[in-house]
Amino acid sequence: MSTSPNTMAVYAKRRAAIGRALKAAGGGIALLPTAPEVPRNRDSDFPYRHDSYFYYLTGFSEPGGWLVIEASGKTVKSTLFCRPKDLEREIWDGIRLGPKAAPAQLGVDEAFSVDALNQKMPELLANQNAVWFPFATHPGLGSQVDGWLDQVRARVRQGAECPTSQHDLCKLLDEMRLFKDSQEVSILRRAGKISAAAHVRAMQASAAMLRAGVKGGLREYHLDAELLHEFRRQGSEFPAYTSIVAAGANACVLHYRAGDTELKAGQLCLIDAGCELQGYASDITRTFPADGTFSPAQRRLYDIVHAAQEAAIAVTRPGKRFNDPHEAATRVLIEGMLETGLLPKAKHGKVDDVLASGAYRQFYMHRTGHWMGMDVHDCGDYSEPGSKAREEKDATGQSVMRKPSRILRPGMVTTIEPGIYVRPAKNVPKEFWNIGIRIEDDALITAKGCELLTREVPVAADEIEALMRG
Ligand SMILES: [Mn+2]
């Protein structure tokens, strides 16, 4: 991995920001390991993926890394622990950066072999006010830190002072990561373009393969392969999450994976898939007719979901709250449910009645968005920091204390993904049975509104049909 001076400066700037935050909190030391390697089965690991927080502050994607940031007095110092050079291991597993080259390559002040971690860490922790580390993301880290602190305490008579408080480093990092800087935005834009191209490829392949006829039938995995092909062809490292390719009724299973179900002409196909590029996710869902032509019933529901997404996009802008797009989309979906008879008007009344009763949840049971960034479901507080909790009714009518949802600000990235899922049921018009539709795009909040990062794949029904004819 090579890091350009420009890129190096981005990570140095983020470490400096953490240093300032530590100082503002009275000074201290922050520890952050990367993710462990995870065995898949004998001698074979899952593809390695760094820890997002660690990568955010280092740009270093090897396993075995630890970052330490000391912020006391006037100075901020960053120290990296990494795997030592080892010719034998490098022949098998690939080049290691090694501690000698790390400072010049990554811009850290000092680097040691990770073999020295247990010896060095008590020395680094001694005489620090406070220690910060991630509380929830690394199982066993808390007791590891406790072990090092015990070693510091054992040296109190030699004049070493032990940190007197522990804090969750993620509190600081989550807030930083919620606001994407220009380097992140440019990667997210490229990730969005690649994923859009993959969806275009899958749609076109679906229609073409049905026209040509595939021996054994067109299967979900055929389209999964088209997605992967485009991701990798354009340099993405992996899918950002397990792709959903759902034929017909499978679309009503929210976390369905791409399986081997046959996709037939006349059915819809729902694809929820996005690539990861340089550690950043993208997240797109499109629902399209397998053969390129919507049936009237499919088209009716599709246009409702599309209108719901447009309503949500219109309120995805600075000053609105995170919940506003969800509320806007839900109202449009409910109107559609009443118009189509999914929810008979005589029984369910008007939009506000359905909002109050929650009857729409039979067909729309998830939220309209989530933060997105390095992680597809990214970190960041969904409620406005510093605001007071107030009493609200939850879905079941129970009283809960909730903080007002987050005010949208430039630099945040959220998905916008309304849907309708119709499982067969009495009193539900049969023409809509087994139709599952979701439309999802990624939106960067800008100064005046939002920029959709994933619109190089069409979303309007007519445009999808045109694309699939071509
Ligand atoms: Mn999503």
Side-chain angles (χ1 to χ4, degrees):
M1 185 201 68
S2 79
T3 316
S4 75
N6 282 343
T7 316
M8 207 164 88
V10 167
Y11 299 107
K13 213 171 133 191
R14 293 179 192 155
R15 290 193 297 269
I18 289 296
R20 281 195 302 278
L22 293 180
K23 279 194 207 167
I29 182 168
L31 321 177
L32 181 59
T34 192
E37 293 174 283
V38 183
R40 184 171 187 276
N41 55 33
R42 190 194 313 250
D43 282 349
S44 177
D45 287 344
F46 280 104
Y48 182 69
R49 168 56 156 75
H50 54 251
D51 174 78
S52 295
Y53 293 112
F54 179 84
Y55 189 76
Y56 181 74
L57 294 178
T58 60
F60 186 49
S61 56
E62 276 186 30
W66 287 71
L67 177 68
V68 177
I69 299 176
E70 296 164 78
S72 44
K74 283 205 175 105
T75 56
V76 173
K77 186 180 169 192
S78 58
T79 303
L80 184 87
F81 291 86
C82 61
R83 299 180 305 177
K85 294 296 281 180
D86 180 333
L87 186 58
E88 174 72 11
R89 288 312 325 158
E90 291 181 49
I91 288 169
W92 290 91
D93 301 329
I95 297 286
R96 297 176 172 192
L97 178 61
K100 216 176 187 175
Q105 187 72 42
L106 302 173
V108 293
D109 297 303
E110 209 171 6
F112 299 102
S113 162
V114 69
D115 296 340
L117 188 71
N118 283 321
Q119 178 216 323
K120 287 269 175 203
M121 209 56 105
E123 294 171 18
L124 290 165
L125 285 166
N127 305 313
Q128 297 284 352
N129 282 341
V131 54
W132 296 67
F133 59 93
F135 280 6
T137 52
H138 293 74
L141 180 58
S143 43
Q144 207 172 355
V145 172
D146 284 339
W148 292 326
L149 293 176
D150 282 342
Q151 290 184 45
V152 179
R153 280 185 207 102
R155 276 189 242 145
V156 166
R157 277 192 220 160
Q158 284 95 55
E161 278 190 47
C162 191
T164 50
S165 62
Q166 303 187 5
H167 306 272
D168 190 0
L169 182 59
C170 296
K171 276 277 170 202
L172 305 179
L173 284 166
D174 288 352
E175 193 60 19
M176 277 175 75
R177 279 177 54 189
L178 180 56
F179 295 89
K180 276 66 181 174
D181 61 32
S182 60
Q183 187 239 17
E184 298 183 287
V185 166
S186 73
I187 301 173
L188 285 164
R189 279 196 188 113
R190 261 187 298 143
K193 276 180 198 289
I194 295 171
S195 296
H199 278 259
V200 166
R201 185 183 177 103
M203 283 180 190
Q204 290 182 319
S206 176
M209 286 167 93
L210 280 177
R211 277 196 296 269
V214 192
K215 206 178 159 202
L218 172 62
R219 304 278 165 173
E220 292 165 340
Y221 56 74
H222 287 126
L223 301 187
D224 192 23
E226 298 294 330
L227 297 166
L228 275 171
H229 179 98
E230 194 63 26
F231 290 170
R232 290 295 283 150
R233 195 181 73 76
Q234 297 209 42
S236 140
E237 293 84 7
F238 341 80
Y241 52 96
T242 308
S243 302
I244 296 172
V245 180
N250 290 342
C252 296
V253 180
L254 294 182
H255 287 165
Y256 185 81
R257 310 300 192 197
D260 59 4
T261 304
E262 185 175 358
L263 181 57
K264 296 185 183 129
Q267 284 184 324
L268 290 179
C269 179
L270 182 153
I271 295 185
D272 182 344
C275 74
E276 180 172 308
L277 182 72
Q278 294 169 31
Y280 286 82
S282 52
D283 188 0
I284 303 181
T285 307
R286 288 292 183 270
T287 309
F288 58 89
D291 56 4
T293 309
F294 286 94
S295 74
Q298 292 166 350
R299 175 71 190 248
R300 242 185 127 191
L301 295 191
Y302 189 89
D303 288 344
I304 293 165
V305 178
H306 184 200
Q309 200 208 24
E310 288 301 323
I313 290 167
V315 293
T316 301
R317 53 186 156 90
K320 290 287 179 184
R321 289 188 184 269
F322 178 80
N323 274 350
D324 290 334
H326 177 65
E327 280 163 20
T330 304
R331 292 193 77 89
V332 174
L333 293 172
I334 292 172
E335 270 168 43
M337 291 172 197
L338 293 169
E339 286 307 314
T340 51
L342 284 175
L343 295 176
K345 283 180 190 164
K347 184 174 171 204
H348 292 280
K350 296 202 161 73
V351 172
D352 286 315
D353 304 321
V354 177
L355 261 179
S357 73
Y360 66 90
R361 289 199 188 90
Q362 183 181 352
F363 307 108
Y364 184 50
M365 57 300 278
H366 60 75
R367 305 278 311 169
T368 304
H370 52 79
W371 304 133
M372 197 199 72
M374 305 187 96
D375 301 341
V376 63
H377 288 190
D378 211 28
C379 56
D381 203 337
Y382 284 100
S383 52
E384 185 63 18
S387 55
K388 272 211 183 105
R390 54 181 189 212
E391 199 173 332
E392 270 179 40
K393 300 273 185 239
D394 76 0
T396 62
Q398 290 238 311
S399 256
V400 285
M401 295 301 283
R402 259 197 207 118
K403 281 182 166 186
S405 92
R406 189 91 195 212
I407 296 170
L408 298 177
R409 296 183 201 283
M412 294 172 166
V413 174
T414 178
T415 63
I416 307 175
E417 49 178 311
I420 286 184
Y421 313 90
V422 186
R423 286 172 173 274
K426 261 199 293 185
N427 306 327
V428 171
K430 223 171 178 173
E431 56 178 329
F432 300 124
W433 283 16
N434 293 317
I435 295 179
I437 294 167
R438 178 165 66 257
I439 303 173
E440 174 177 30
D441 285 284
D442 307 337
L444 165 71
I445 313 298
T446 59
K448 290 197 177 131
C450 70
E451 173 188 337
L452 297 173
L453 305 171
T454 45
R455 276 297 175 89
E456 288 188 12
V457 50
V459 68
D462 288 337
E463 287 172 28
I464 289 176
E465 288 186 340
L467 175 83
M468 293 180 72
R469 270 195 299 273

